[in-house]
């Protein structure tokens, strides 16, 4: 057993692997970069076949990422995974993948607008990359016409990679990680635990990716059909977003560009499915039966979406004076989009029915609540997650019962399952950390010049990987307008922190603290 | 329910005497309010004195009953204030009177009264409502929960071992707290008189300082007052926010206890951090920053400047400071420094357990290790607190307040701070707020003042009633069904 109770993976591989440097972090980073470089290469080919504007940028980026990833993959071998290294592995893989993933935007000069210096271009590229890989969907892109199709597809592809997770992808190709691999998936995946679909962890990761790919294919076909078979490019691009519950679109006005009820309906259905657990989807495919209705989290998730939609429809209809049909269309789409942490918008312009920043404060507060909650555990969505909110609600209910009978032993039950007290404590701790991060983020972003309402919405949105926020960062606006460069970097970091559900990033420094301690002790001796 | 009745009688006695004094102080003023206040106060005090001899609290009341009693006590106080405001004609509408009374008794610095127009008796009575509310809050936190309930499950709401020093028994504790609180108030009033404030102003501001109520006799709070008055207010707010134990230690000359108090050290650090963070902001003076920081942390609500225009980061600092709030044993509100410390310790323990699932992480309070069960219960209460803020913001948002005004207003009302960014403003004036929005603030102030457990107990009672009603309904339905069946059988037998 390795330190921290996690069994060690094979410290060295067979044959020639014995001479390589043992580092799980670098090995997984190598695989992740190699995978991202393949995406860049595919997009470079698409660019070459269409507009050819950004082919060189994408090709060069693919080369750099591929070379770096290939070298790391080839020169290292997974070492023993200690508990304290797991979080660092996941956090550093994400941070460095985000930085390398910003290369195409930098090299293509996507953000080289008049008046923007080099630093601003770098900041914007990193922000866009962080937003992409974390499946947030916040954007600083103002000109949607200039970038070529390949680059825009790469932007969508960052969502797709980030949705299921680059570490899950890496684990899928590492057959000998064992239980350490499951810990890696758990550290990256949204939720309190990770479902083990098969006894082999790499097989579990592979199946999750298979479901993900199948989901993307279905979304592509449905979107293509709903859009009248007009653009396969649009369908694929939006399918990437829908599978990852991301929020990027190839159009400046997002789904509002189509102004079509059919497209919006398809998008709503896939957003709802994207916000549900992929383990449930796998079981549905594997058994041929739908297990969703038996899952208490999924039922609560649908309940939250339905109640929020009803409340907002009433508020918007009564207060904003919109026709009932427009109110329903705008409210339901927005609720599902923000409730699943997707962030797509059906607003056709400022002040249109889907432009929720013009709605009454009560409706916006409900949306803020949805941004905090997010989707189900095991899904690609962000936020605190419905299951955690269920546990917190039951903890509160238990407090109500304890006020009458202080000595009673009251277990917390979700459906037929009893939630262990360890999980309850973990959920309470997570909620507190999330709350503290919102406050810390709000302090940082407002100190860097953000307007209060916009900052509040954006910090909640970034931590929940939502995309659009409130105020000046609403669905028809842009983060470049609303925030200074340092504030954008803070938000980018919050998106990564939110995507990894806080703990990996907070605990990423722990191995280095241990190493410094060991060095200090050695120096003393 | 005799525990609740005994508490109401005690509160009624204090309130009656105070109201009578307010009325007497106003005689000679050209207002008729003075006589009304004096008479009502005298009648209430007499009734309470008679009732006090007849109502004896039970030896060990149950937790649910104590919490229900606390809820009832606050409701009775607010209702009395409402009737007096509306009956005396100070506020023409009953809902306005309710808001003013709730703001007073919950020590929230929100007002509808025009201080320039109000008579001396009314100004004094308004300040006195805060004072009585503050006294009740300290009694409940320092005497009732630790000495009457003796429940370790409420550790976040009681004062632990150190409370035994001040409160060896319920009756002694009650007497000592009353003496300390009154002495501290008198010291504040004398200090204000020495800085040159008039008698009425000194009384009003003194009562507002000691109780963390935040009412003054002016529309711009303490903005127009001299530096000496503001310095006294700052020191008074600090002591009031630090709580009755700090006052007790100072009175007894126990400087070591002051130094050893983990909560006091954190309180001072928080205050220093908030002052530094606001003082570094361009255009904000260090004196103003320190004053507003202590006003927010103690949840008093005094203001020397319109701080809502200081910039977004500063207003967020104010929001966080008010959210954390004062120390245990203080009449102030907020989540309380101690509870925040415990929750942070609990969160730190969870981080530690991520690395080592078998680690035994102890969360301590003044060298007292707390059980996981206690921490879980505290966590549940804090979730309820956040839910209360969220529901409050939604209520305000639905009733027409802006998004920022809703969030700020809800936090401010639940923490009993008062002033807020948005419609309410830096001086806590409710003139610009609609009627529905004002009414939405009442349950928030009450819920925040009661620090959640009584609200949960109220919910628990409702749940129990509901369950009992459902059971009764099912039983009645079954009985009716059996009767029908019996009737059908007898008819078929006849046939």
């Amino acid at each position: 057993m390795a330190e921290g109770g996690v069994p060690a993976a094979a410290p060295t591989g067979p044959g020639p692997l014995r001479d390589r440097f043992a580092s799980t972090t670098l090995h997984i980073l190598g695989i992740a970069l190699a995978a991202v470089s393949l995406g860049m290469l595919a997009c470079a080919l698409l660019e070459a076949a269409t507009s050819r504007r950004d082919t060189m940028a994408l090709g060069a980026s693919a080369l750099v990422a591929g070379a770096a990833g290939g070298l790391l993959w080839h020169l290292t071998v997974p070492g023993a995974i200690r508990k304290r290294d797991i979080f660092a592995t996941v956090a550093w893989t994400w941070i460095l993948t985000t930085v390398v993933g910003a290369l195409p935007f930098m090299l293509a000069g996507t953000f080289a607008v008049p008046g923007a210096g080099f630093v601003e271009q770098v900041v914007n590229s990193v922000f866009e990359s962080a937003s992409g890989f974390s499946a947030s969907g916040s954007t600083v892109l103002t000109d949607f016409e200039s970038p070529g199709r390949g680059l825009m597809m790469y932007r969508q592809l960052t969502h797709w990679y980030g949705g299921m997770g680059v570490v899950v992808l890496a684990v899928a190709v590492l057959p000998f990680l064992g239980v350490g691999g499951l810990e890696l998936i758990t550290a990256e995946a949204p939720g309190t635990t990770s479902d083990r679909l098969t006894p082999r962890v790499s097989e579990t990761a592979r199946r999750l990716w298979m479901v993900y790919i199948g989901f993307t294919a279905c979304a592509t076909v449905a979107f293509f059909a709903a859009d009248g078979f007009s653009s396969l490019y649009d369908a694929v691009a939006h399918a990437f977003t829908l599978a990852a519950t991301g929020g990027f679109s190839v159009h400046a006005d997002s789904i509002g560009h189509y102004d079509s009820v059919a497209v919006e309906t398809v998008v709503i259905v896939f957003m709802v499915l994207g916000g549900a657990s992929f383990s449930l989807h796998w079981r549905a495919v594997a058994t041929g039966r739908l297990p969703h209705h038996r899952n208490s989290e999924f039922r609560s998730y649908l309940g939250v979406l339905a109640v929020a939609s009803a409340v907002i429809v009433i508020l918007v209809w009564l207060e904003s004076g919109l026709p009932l049909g427009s109110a329903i269309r705008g409210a339901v789409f927005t609720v599902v989009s923000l409730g699943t942490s997707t962030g797509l918008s059906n607003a056709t312009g400022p002040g249109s029915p889907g432009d929720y920043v013009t709605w009454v404060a009560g409706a916006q507060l409900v949306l803020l609540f949805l941004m905090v909650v997010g989707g189900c555990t095991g899904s690609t969505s962000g936020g605190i997650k419905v299951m955690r909110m269920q546990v917190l609600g039951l903890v509160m209910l238990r407090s109500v019962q304890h006020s009458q009978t202080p000595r009673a032993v009251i277990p917390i039950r979700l459906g037929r399952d009893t939630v262990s007290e360890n999980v309850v404590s973990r959920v309470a701790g997570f909620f507190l950390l999330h709350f503290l991060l919102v406050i810390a983020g709000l302090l940082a972003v407002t100190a860097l010049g953000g307007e209060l309402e916009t900052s509040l919405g954006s910090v909640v949105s970034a931590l929940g990987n939502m995309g659009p926020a409130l105020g000046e960062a609403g669905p028809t606006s842009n983060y470049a307008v609303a925030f200074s460069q340092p504030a954008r970097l803070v938000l980018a970091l919050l998106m990564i922190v939110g995507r990894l559900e806080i703990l990996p990033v907070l605990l990423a420094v722990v191995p280095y603290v241990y190493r410094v301690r060991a060095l200090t002790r050695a120096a003393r001796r | 329910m005799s525990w609740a009745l005994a508490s109401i009688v005690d509160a009624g006695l204090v309130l009656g005497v105070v109201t009578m004094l307010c009325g007497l102080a106003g005689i000679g003023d050209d207002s008729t309010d003075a006589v009304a206040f004096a008479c009502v106060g005298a009648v209430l005090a007499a009734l309470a004195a008679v009732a006090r001899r007849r109502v004896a609290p039970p030896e060990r009341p149950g937790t649910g009953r104590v919490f229900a009693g606390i809820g009832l006590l606050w409701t009775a106080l607010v209702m009395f204030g409402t009737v007096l405001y509306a009956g005396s004609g100070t506020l023409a509408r009953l809902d306005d009177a309710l808001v003013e009374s709730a703001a007073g008794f919950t020590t929230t610095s929100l007002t509808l009264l025009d201080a320039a127009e109000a008579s001396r008796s009314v100004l004094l009575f308004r300040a006195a409502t805060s004072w009585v509310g503050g006294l009740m809050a300290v009694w409940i936190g320092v005497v009732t929960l630790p000495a009457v309930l003796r429940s370790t499950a409420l550790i976040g709401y009681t004062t632990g071992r150190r409370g035994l020093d001040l409160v060896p028994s319920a009756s002694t504790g009650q007497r000592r707290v009353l003496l300390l609180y009154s002495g501290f108030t008198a010291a504040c009033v004398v200090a204000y008189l020495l800085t040159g404030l008039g008698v009425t102003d000194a009384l009003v501001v003194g009562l507002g300082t000691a109780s963390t109520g935040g009412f003054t006799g002016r529309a711009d709070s303490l903005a127009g007052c001299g530096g000496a008055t503001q310095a006294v207010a700052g020191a008074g707010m600090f002591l009031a926010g630090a709580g009755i134990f700090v006052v007790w230690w100072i009175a007894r000359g126990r400087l070591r206890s002051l130094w050893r108090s983990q909560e006091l050290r954190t309180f001072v650090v928080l205050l220093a951090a908030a002052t530094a963070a606001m003082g570094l902001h361009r255009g904000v003076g260090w004196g103003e920053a320190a004053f507003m920081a202590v006003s927010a942390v103690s949840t008093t609500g005094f203001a020397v400047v319109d701080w809502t225009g200081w910039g977004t980061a500063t207003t967020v600092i104010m929001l966080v400071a008010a959210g954390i709030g004062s120390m245990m044993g203080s009449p102030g509100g907020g989540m309380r420094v101690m509870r925040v410390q415990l929750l942070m310790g609990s969160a730190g323990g969870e981080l530690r357990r991520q690395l080592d699932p078998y680690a035994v992480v102890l969360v301590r309070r003044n060298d007292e290790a707390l059980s996981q069960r206690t921490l879980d219960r505290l966590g549940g209460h804090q979730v309820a607190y956040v839910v209360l803020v969220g529901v409050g913001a939604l209520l305000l948002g639905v009733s027409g307040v802006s998004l920022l005004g809703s969030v700020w207003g809800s936090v401010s009302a639940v923490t009993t701070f008062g002033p807020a960014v948005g419609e309410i403003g830096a001086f806590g004036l409710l003139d610009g707020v609609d009627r529905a929005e004002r009414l939405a603030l009442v349950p928030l102030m009450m819920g925040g003042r009661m620090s959640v457990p009584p609200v949960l107990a109220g919910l628990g009672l409702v749940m129990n009633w509901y369950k009992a009603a459902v059971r009764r309904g099912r039983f009645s339905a079954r009985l009716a069904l059996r009767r029908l069946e019996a009737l059908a059988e007898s008819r078929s037998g006849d046939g």
Side-chain angles (χ1 to χ4, degrees):
Chain A
M1 291 281 278
E3 197 175 325
V6 180
T12 51
L17 287 178
R18 284 180 196 286
D19 301 330
R20 297 183 196 173
F21 178 63
S23 168
T24 313
T25 309
L26 292 179
H27 196 75
I28 288 190
L29 176 64
I31 296 171
L33 289 182
V36 171
S37 77
L38 285 178
M40 288 175 181
L41 194 65
C43 293
L45 294 174
L46 175 68
E47 185 74 28
T50 53
S51 54
R52 294 186 184 177
R53 263 173 284 181
D54 302 318
T55 314
M56 284 303 290
L58 282 162
S61 305
L63 197 67
V64 171
L71 274 176
L72 286 174
W73 192 357
H74 185 69
L75 294 179
T76 59
V77 68
I81 306 174
R82 286 171 299 186
K83 187 86 182 174
R84 66 185 184 220
D85 290 334
I86 285 169
F87 297 106
T89 300
V90 172
W92 287 117
T93 303
W94 272 80
I95 291 168
L96 294 172
T97 305
T98 300
V99 172
V100 174
L103 273 177
F105 301 120
M106 278 190 248
L107 296 179
T110 311
F111 300 104
V113 290
F118 175 72
V119 176
E120 185 165 3
Q121 285 184 48
V122 172
V123 168
N124 284 348
S125 301
V126 170
F127 180 93
E128 201 74 6
S129 176
S131 175
F133 281 106
S134 63
S136 297
S138 314
T139 187
V140 282
L141 190 65
T142 45
D143 181 7
F144 279 70
E145 303 303 322
S146 298
R149 283 194 159 196
L151 193 68
M152 290 304 278
M153 187 59 89
Y154 168 71
R155 187 167 162 266
Q156 302 295 114
L157 199 62
T158 55
H159 268 343
W160 196 71
Y161 276 122
M164 187 50 76
V166 283
V167 176
V168 176
L169 182 63
V171 172
V173 294
L174 287 178
F176 45 81
L177 271 177
V179 178
L182 186 69
E183 295 278 341
L184 279 168
I185 294 179
T186 308
E188 188 190 52
T192 50
T193 53
S194 93
D195 263 353
R196 205 167 173 162
L197 301 178
T198 62
R200 287 176 67 89
V201 177
S202 56
E203 186 58 31
T204 298
R206 234 170 275 152
R207 285 188 186 179
L208 283 174
W209 267 94
M210 277 164 61
V211 179
Y212 193 54
I213 291 167
F215 185 96
T216 311
C218 292
T220 305
V221 172
F223 194 98
F224 194 40
D227 189 26
F229 302 98
S230 63
S231 168
L232 186 62
Y233 164 75
D234 277 22
V236 174
H238 286 105
F240 284 156
T241 274
L242 290 171
T245 59
F248 280 159
S249 171
V250 288
H251 303 293
D253 43 3
S254 195
I255 300 299
H257 172 82
Y258 303 96
D259 199 10
S260 151
V261 176
V263 169
E264 285 171 27
T265 308
V266 165
V267 169
I268 284 173
V269 169
F270 279 93
M271 284 194 291
V272 170
L273 290 174
S277 167
F278 274 70
S279 301
L280 285 180
H281 298 335
W282 168 257
R283 292 206 173 98
V285 173
T287 61
R289 288 180 194 163
L290 282 178
H292 296 72
H293 64 282
R294 285 195 213 112
N295 185 282
S296 82
E297 186 186 15
F298 186 75
R299 289 199 303 265
S300 305
Y301 163 67
L302 290 185
V304 167
L305 293 180
V307 171
S309 297
V311 169
I312 291 184
V313 165
I314 292 168
L315 286 174
V316 171
W317 183 48
L318 290 178
E319 299 282 339
S320 306
L322 284 172
L324 186 60
S326 300
I328 291 173
R329 190 173 160 188
V332 172
F333 190 92
T334 307
V335 163
V336 173
S337 178
L338 297 187
T340 57
S341 87
T342 307
L344 289 168
S345 161
N346 67 345
T348 48
S352 63
D355 187 12
Y356 59 80
V357 291
T358 59
W359 294 352
V360 286
Q364 291 189 51
L365 281 162
V366 175
L367 293 179
L368 200 65
F369 169 74
L370 290 174
M371 286 186 192
V372 174
V373 176
C376 297
T377 51
S379 70
T380 54
S381 63
I384 286 181
K385 304 285 175 311
V386 175
M387 192 270 235
R388 288 202 183 97
M389 295 305 277
Q390 279 179 296
V391 171
L392 288 172
L394 291 169
V395 166
M396 199 181 81
L397 208 62
R398 183 162 72 173
S399 293
V400 172
Q401 288 164 312
H402 273 148
S403 67
Q404 300 296 309
T405 48
R407 285 163 204 270
V409 177
I410 305 163
I412 303 265
R413 288 178 200 279
L414 283 181
R416 289 174 192 168
D417 303 323
T418 302
V419 182
S420 80
E421 287 303 317
N422 281 344
V423 173
V424 173
S425 299
R426 214 182 301 162
V427 168
F430 178 84
F431 177 69
L432 189 66
L433 286 172
H434 192 95
F435 189 67
L436 288 175
L437 265 174
V438 168
I439 291 170
L442 188 59
L443 278 170
V445 173
T446 51
L448 294 168
E451 191 262 328
L452 193 51
E453 187 178 321
T454 310
S455 302
L456 174 67
S458 302
V459 167
V460 171
S461 168
L463 268 175
N465 300 134
M466 210 57 54
L470 304 174
E472 291 171 33
T476 57
S477 190
N478 190 291
Y479 275 63
V481 181
F483 295 105
S484 64
Q485 288 175 43
R488 274 176 244 162
L489 278 183
V490 171
L491 289 170
L493 182 66
L494 286 178
M495 286 179 217
I496 301 283
V497 172
R499 171 62 186 83
L500 297 181
E501 301 210 320
I502 301 169
L503 295 176
V505 180
L506 287 186
L507 295 171
V509 290
V510 170
Y512 308 104
V513 174
Y514 275 91
R515 256 169 234 171
V516 169
R517 262 197 212 164
L519 283 174
T520 317
R521 270 186 213 143
R524 272 187 200 154
R525 275 181 214 144
Chain B
M1 202 52 84
S2 61
W3 184 87
L5 204 58
S7 306
I8 290 171
V9 167
D10 282 350
L13 185 61
V14 175
L15 187 60
V17 172
V18 168
T19 309
M20 187 175 68
L21 289 175
C22 292
L24 291 175
I27 290 175
D29 204 0
D30 55 356
S31 161
T32 53
D33 296 339
V35 181
F37 277 82
C39 291
V40 171
V43 170
L44 179 66
L47 283 174
V50 171
R52 203 161 189 265
R53 291 171 179 273
R54 301 192 173 225
V55 180
E59 284 296 309
R60 287 294 301 270
T63 314
R65 291 210 161 194
V66 169
F67 283 138
I70 291 170
L72 207 64
L73 170 68
W74 286 109
T75 311
L77 287 175
V78 171
M79 284 304 138
F80 173 77
T82 307
V83 170
L84 206 55
Y85 278 129
S88 65
T90 309
L91 288 160
R93 292 181 59 104
L94 201 64
D95 53 341
D96 286 350
L98 176 69
V99 173
E100 190 69 32
S101 174
F105 283 108
T106 58
T107 70
T108 313
S109 180
L110 293 173
T111 189
L112 273 162
L113 276 177
D114 183 355
E117 298 286 316
S119 69
R120 193 189 303 166
S121 298
V122 170
L123 283 179
L124 283 171
F125 176 73
R126 188 180 61 157
T129 56
S130 285
W131 192 81
V132 172
L135 178 65
M136 290 301 134
V138 179
W139 263 348
I140 289 167
V142 176
V143 182
T144 306
L145 298 185
V148 178
L149 284 180
R150 291 176 202 159
S151 170
T152 51
L154 292 160
I155 203 96
Y157 294 86
T158 65
T159 42
R161 285 179 197 155
R162 69 175 183 173
L164 296 174
D165 183 24
L166 174 65
V167 190
S169 67
S171 56
T172 313
Q174 209 168 4
R175 201 172 53 247
R176 280 185 182 172
V177 166
L178 181 62
L179 276 173
L180 279 172
Y181 189 66
S182 309
F184 175 54
T185 311
C188 287
V189 173
V190 170
Y192 282 123
L193 284 171
L194 290 175
T195 63
L197 277 188
V199 178
T200 308
D201 276 348
L203 276 168
V204 169
V205 181
L207 292 170
T209 308
S211 64
T212 71
F215 286 139
T216 65
R218 310 154 62 98
D220 59 352
S221 193
L222 295 179
C225 295
T229 306
Q230 293 176 357
V232 168
M237 287 191 290
F238 175 79
L239 283 175
I244 208 77
F245 286 98
V246 172
V247 177
W248 165 250
W249 290 330
I250 290 172
R252 300 289 297 244
R254 291 185 192 165
L255 297 179
R256 190 183 280 181
S257 299
L258 285 176
W259 173 247
R260 286 175 64 186
S261 169
Q262 191 187 6
E263 192 183 10
L264 181 62
R265 287 201 302 267
T266 314
F267 184 68
V268 172
V269 168
L270 272 173
L271 204 54
T275 305
M278 288 198 282
L280 287 172
H281 200 271
R282 203 178 296 157
V284 180
W286 284 98
E288 290 169 347
F291 187 94
M292 289 318 304
V294 75
S295 177
V297 171
S298 65
T299 69
T300 306
F302 284 145
V304 288
V305 66
D306 184 357
W307 52 269
T308 54
W310 275 356
T312 49
T314 318
T315 52
V316 175
I317 294 165
M318 288 285 286
L319 185 82
V320 174
I324 293 172
S326 54
M327 282 173 58
M328 298 299 303
S330 155
M335 279 175 87
R336 303 299 174 112
V337 176
M338 175 61 75
R339 282 176 225 155
V340 172
Q341 267 182 319
L342 294 179
L343 289 171
M344 294 290 279
S346 185
E350 279 313 312
L351 279 179
R352 177 85 180 78
R353 270 193 281 270
Q354 289 291 325
L355 294 171
D356 183 0
Y358 301 105
V360 178
V361 185
L362 293 178
V363 179
R364 294 174 188 278
R365 192 184 74 158
N366 293 331
D367 302 329
E368 195 178 346
L370 305 182
S371 70
Q372 190 57 45
R373 185 180 161 87
T374 304
L375 290 172
D376 287 347
R377 200 167 289 189
L378 186 63
H381 288 168
Q382 292 320 303
V383 171
Y385 197 84
V386 174
V387 169
L388 184 65
V389 171
V391 171
L394 195 62
L395 268 177
L396 289 171
V398 169
S399 59
V401 183
S402 66
L403 184 74
L404 266 188
S406 305
V407 175
W408 242 112
S410 178
V411 174
S412 197
V414 172
T415 59
T416 73
F417 178 47
V421 170
E423 285 83 344
I424 293 173
F427 301 109
L429 302 174
L430 293 174
D431 303 342
V433 181
D434 287 347
R435 213 165 283 283
E437 296 151 17
R438 286 180 212 157
L439 277 176
L441 288 168
V442 173
L444 300 181
M445 292 189 281
M446 300 273 287
R449 177 72 280 174
M450 289 188 261
S451 283
V452 176
V455 180
L456 294 181
L459 283 175
L461 277 180
V462 172
M463 265 174 63
N464 284 353
W465 284 332
Y466 172 74
K467 278 182 189 168
V470 169
R471 247 179 266 138
R472 266 201 307 274
R474 278 190 195 150
F475 178 72
S476 309
R478 233 176 277 148
L479 206 66
L481 205 66
R482 273 189 207 156
R483 276 184 195 156
L484 274 175
E485 281 170 1
L487 196 70
E489 273 175 22
S490 65
R491 279 190 184 169
S492 63
D494 291 345

